[in-house]
Amino acid sequence: MTLRKGERATISIQEHMAIDVCPGPIKPIKQISDYFPRFPRGLPAAASRPAAPPSRPPLSPAEPPRDEDEDVDRLFGAYGASGPAEQPAPRPAEEEAAAADAEGYESDDCTTLGTLDFSLLYDQENNALHCTINKAKGLKPMDHNGLADPYVKLHLLPGASKANKLRTKTLRNTLNPTWNETLTYYGITDEDMIRKTLRISVCDEDKFRHNEFIGETRIPLKKLKPNQTKTFSICLEKQLPIDKTEDKSLEERGRILISLKYSSQKQGLLVGIIRCAHLAAMDANGYSDPYVKTYLKPDEDKKSKHKTAVKKKTLNPEFNEEFCYEIKHGDLAKKTLEVTVWDYDIGKSNDFIGGVVLGINAKGERLKHWFDCLKNKDKKIERWHTLTNELPGAILSD
C-alpha cells in the first residue's frame, strides 16, 4: 500500500501494543504471539524454548496479511520438517504404577486405620504355612486415652472360623505395636494354596466389652510361591463381608498327620498319630475335646484298638503318640488301617468328628501312603490326610 504525501500510516491496536521500543526506527510487529508462542501440550522441552525468536524481515507494504493460523503453522513447521510430529515421551513403568495407585488408592482408610507389615512362607515339604506378624503403624485410636490394645488374628477362608483361627499376643497402650511373632498353620496342601485366602484382622482388646475391629486385609494364597518368603506392607481396610454362599462341599472335618513304619526289629507296624488340624467344632463353646482311635482290620480277636489321650478344648491338637501292631510284613497287604477322631463328652455318647482309611482298597494319597510303607521297610513315612464324615466300618461309638 502506497501513502500519499501528507498522509500518516495507521496501525491496528494489536500492532500498537506490540511496538518494538528498542533504539532505532519504530517497526510494527505483526503479532504479539511472535514473542509469546503457544505450544501444544506434549512438545519436548528443548523445542518449547527456542534460543531466540525467529528473525523476520521488515513487513513489506506489498505483503498480503496472514491470519493467526498461518503464523502458528509456520512456527511449528520447522519442528515437523524432519519427520512426523514427536509424540509425548512415555512415562516409566514405575511412574505409571504410582499414578495408578494414586488414582485408585483409598487414602482415608490408610490414614485412619493404619498399616500392617507381615511375611508369609509356604513350607511345601512339611505342609505348613508360616505367618510372621512384624508390626503395625498408625493404628486407629480405640480407647479413651487415644491409644489401643491391639492384637492380630488370622483366618483361612473358606472354613469354620474357630477351626483355623490363630492370634498374636496383645500389646497394651500403643498405636505402633511390634509383635515379631510367627503363627503356623499345619496340614496345608497344594490344593489349599490354590483355593484358600488368608484373612488378617487387627483388633483392639477390651477387658469390659467386646473386642473391637480396627482393620483387615486378605491375601489369596495362590500369590505365594512354595518355599519363598513374601513380605507385605499393606494399608488396613474396613471390614469386608464374608461370602455366605460358599460351596458347602468345600467344608471339611479336619486333617490328621499320620506316620507309618514297618519295623523289622519289632516285627510290626508302627502307627504314629502326630497331630490334627482344623477339626470340626462339636461342643457349644465352639471347640472340641478330641482324641484318636486306630484299628487294624480284619480284627478277629478284637484286640487291635488303640486310643490316644484326650486333648481339651482345641481344634488343633498335638498328640505325638505311637502304637505298634505285631504282624508279619507279608500280611500287611491284606490289612486295612482305620483311624477315627472323636470328641469326648462326659455323661453322653462321644461325637464322631471324622475318619480316614488306609489300605489296599483306598485311593489317592491314602493308597500311596500305604504302598510306600510296604515298599520301604524301617523307614518312617508321614502324610497329611483329610478326614471324612463317613464312619469307617461298623464303629458306632466308644
Side-chain angles (χ1 to χ4, degrees):
M1 181 179 70
T2 58
L3 297 176
R4 297 179 182 176
K5 189 176 182 180
E7 284 186 329
R8 298 177 59 187
T10 59
I11 60 176
S12 66
I13 186 66
Q14 291 89 348
E15 294 171 327
H16 177 73
M17 296 301 293
I19 294 296
D20 190 344
V21 294
C22 63
I26 296 176
K27 299 178 181 178
I29 300 175
K30 174 61 179 173
Q31 292 290 338
I32 196 171
S33 60
D34 288 343
Y35 275 105
F36 303 100
R38 295 188 295 269
F39 294 104
R41 186 174 300 176
L43 194 69
S48 64
R49 296 180 180 175
S55 59
R56 298 185 57 202
L59 183 64
S60 169
E63 181 179 353
R66 294 191 298 266
D67 56 26
E68 184 177 353
D69 291 338
E70 292 178 357
D71 283 343
V72 173
D73 293 340
R74 176 186 54 78
L75 185 63
F76 290 104
Y79 301 125
S82 61
E86 293 187 43
Q87 298 295 325
R91 290 187 296 178
E94 294 80 6
E95 294 182 13
E96 293 282 359
D101 288 345
E103 292 172 1
Y105 197 68
E106 295 183 357
S107 59
D108 289 345
D109 285 352
C110 188
T111 54
T112 60
L113 301 180
T115 61
L116 181 66
D117 294 352
F118 60 96
S119 63
L120 303 176
L121 170 63
Y122 173 46
D123 182 352
Q124 191 176 35
E125 182 179 355
N126 297 308
N127 297 102
L129 176 64
H130 303 288
C131 312
T132 301
I133 308 300
N134 297 318
K135 61 183 179 179
K137 294 184 290 186
L139 294 180
K140 178 182 177 181
M142 304 299 291
D143 299 336
H144 296 299
N145 60 2
L147 299 173
D149 301 321
Y151 66 92
V152 177
K153 61 180 181 179
L154 309 179
H155 291 99
L156 280 178
L157 303 176
S161 60
K162 286 191 176 181
N164 55 46
K165 182 181 75 173
L166 300 175
R167 61 162 287 175
T168 67
K169 59 188 176 185
T170 300
L171 300 181
R172 302 291 176 185
N173 297 322
T174 178
L175 299 179
N176 300 285
T178 299
W179 290 280
N180 290 329
E181 193 171 339
T182 298
L183 308 174
T184 300
Y185 283 105
Y186 295 98
I188 301 298
T189 63
D190 291 342
E191 181 185 356
D192 292 328
M193 297 301 294
I194 295 174
R195 67 179 181 88
K196 286 188 178 287
T197 295
L198 179 65
R199 180 190 184 196
I200 306 177
S201 307
V202 181
C203 300
D204 171 60
E205 185 176 290
D206 202 315
K207 291 183 178 179
F208 306 105
R209 299 182 296 175
H210 288 295
N211 296 341
E212 296 179 286
F213 175 86
I214 298 177
E216 71 169 40
T217 186
R218 298 186 185 184
I219 306 296
L221 296 185
K222 60 185 178 183
K223 289 187 175 182
L224 304 181
K225 295 182 179 179
N227 306 314
Q228 294 185 19
T229 301
K230 187 173 179 63
T231 302
F232 299 85
S233 182
I234 295 181
C235 287
L236 297 174
E237 302 176 81
K238 298 175 183 177
Q239 193 162 16
L240 302 173
I242 296 178
D243 186 7
K244 299 296 185 182
T245 63
E246 292 171 353
D247 186 359
K248 297 299 181 182
S249 66
L250 296 178
E251 293 184 0
E252 300 170 351
R253 309 294 289 183
R255 310 274 176 86
I256 185 168
L257 180 58
I258 301 172
S259 69
L260 297 179
K261 174 185 174 181
Y262 185 82
S263 172
S264 301
Q265 181 180 1
K266 296 184 178 182
Q267 290 293 305
L269 175 67
L270 302 181
V271 178
I273 305 300
I274 301 173
R275 68 190 311 149
C276 295
H278 319 152
L279 293 180
M282 307 302 291
D283 297 337
N285 60 6
Y287 293 97
S288 294
D289 301 320
Y291 67 95
V292 179
K293 295 190 298 182
T294 65
Y295 292 86
L296 191 62
K297 294 191 172 183
D299 181 23
E300 292 82 4
D301 299 330
K302 307 293 182 182
K303 295 181 179 179
S304 71
K305 185 178 85 169
H306 290 284
K307 184 165 61 173
T308 69
V310 176
K311 302 295 180 179
K312 294 290 186 179
K313 197 180 177 183
T314 178
L315 300 176
N316 297 281
E318 188 169 352
F319 299 99
N320 290 320
E321 296 189 36
E322 190 173 72
F323 310 117
C324 180
Y325 291 100
E326 294 183 3
I327 186 174
K328 295 179 180 180
H329 182 268
D331 294 337
L332 276 179
K334 306 172 187 177
K335 295 288 186 177
T336 296
L337 178 67
E338 292 182 358
V339 181
T340 54
V341 183
W342 298 80
D343 169 54
Y344 176 76
D345 287 317
I346 299 177
K348 58 179 182 178
S349 298
N350 298 328
D351 299 316
F352 174 71
I353 297 178
V356 63
V357 177
L358 308 180
I360 196 69
N361 296 319
K363 297 180 180 179
E365 281 295 317
R366 294 169 293 170
L367 178 61
K368 185 175 185 301
H369 194 184
W370 189 254
F371 269 137
D372 288 345
C373 172
L374 297 182
K375 290 189 300 182
N376 299 278
K377 285 185 179 181
D378 300 311
K379 180 180 180 181
K380 180 182 290 188
I381 301 174
E382 295 182 359
R383 292 280 193 281
W384 280 96
H385 297 285
T386 300
L387 299 174
T388 67
N389 57 3
E390 297 179 1
L391 199 60
I395 305 172
L396 297 178
S397 184
D398 183 29

